[in-house]
Amino acid sequence: MEAAVPSRVALSAASRFPNRHAVAGDRSSIYKGRCQSLAIPMALSAAAPGKGGVLDRPVEKTTPGRQSEFDVKKKRKMTPPYRVMLHNDNYNRREYVVQVLMKVIPGMTVDNAVNIMQEAHVNGLSVVIVCSQSEAEEHCTSLRGNGLRSSIEPASGGC
């Protein structure tokens, strides 16, 4: 029963050899001579670094022709940002502009849509969203398809 629990083995081994002092990291201080149980050396060797222990990083395997999740996120960060601009017009009602913004732009809240619409109405132009070029083109096309005047432009400084 003692040999199954390594901490008890270390205590009982220290009591068997009173003249021997245990030193940290010294494997021979735990037992002397042939080990009675094979579980102790196995536990000591399993904790060696780089041998498939618990703390090793999992290896992400990708199939040929597919990108890993890390590569997709890195590519998304590396693309230059573009602004989707909303232009003021005298044809569409303000409520309709807010409805279209909420429908076309994912995650757009009523408050943000009202602020964007109001800025375009007062200043003649407002930034709707900053995103990648392909997403900006899709949003711009959707806004135009719903009768709003919009354009895209590169975002300077990434903001």
Side-chain angles (χ1 to χ4, degrees):
M1 187 71 168
E2 271 186 323
V5 180
S7 63
R8 290 188 184 190
V9 171
L11 291 175
S12 64
S15 65
R16 282 189 216 152
F17 306 110
N19 294 336
R20 175 131 173 118
H21 298 288
V23 178
D26 185 15
R27 290 186 185 177
S28 63
S29 65
I30 297 175
Y31 60 91
K32 187 169 184 169
R34 184 174 170 100
C35 183
Q36 300 295 331
S37 172
L38 295 176
I40 296 170
M42 294 295 242
L44 292 174
S45 66
K51 302 288 185 190
V54 178
L55 298 177
D56 288 347
R57 292 184 96 157
V59 176
E60 183 180 347
K61 295 180 181 178
T62 58
T63 57
R66 291 192 178 216
Q67 295 177 337
S68 69
E69 183 179 339
F70 176 76
D71 291 338
V72 170
K73 287 181 181 177
K74 186 177 178 183
K75 185 177 181 182
R76 204 175 290 153
K77 288 180 184 177
M78 298 301 289
T79 59
Y82 276 76
R83 289 187 216 148
V84 178
M85 306 299 291
L86 178 67
H87 300 267
N88 185 35
D89 62 18
N90 295 325
Y91 307 111
N92 295 305
R93 297 182 56 87
R94 294 180 187 186
E95 295 83 9
Y96 177 73
V97 174
V98 170
Q99 288 176 352
V100 170
L101 286 171
M102 289 175 34
K103 181 175 80 170
V104 169
I105 308 299
M108 179 67 69
T109 62
V110 176
D111 292 336
N112 287 345
V114 168
N115 289 337
I116 291 168
M117 176 273 306
Q118 189 64 27
E119 185 179 344
H121 180 71
V122 171
N123 300 328
L125 191 67
S126 68
V127 177
V128 177
I129 191 171
V130 178
C131 53
S132 67
Q133 183 179 5
S134 61
E135 291 175 353
E137 289 172 351
E138 289 176 18
H139 294 318
C140 184
T141 304
S142 298
L143 290 172
R144 287 178 180 175
N146 285 289
L148 302 182
R149 291 178 45 202
S150 64
S151 61
I152 64 169
E153 64 181 31
S156 59
C159 295

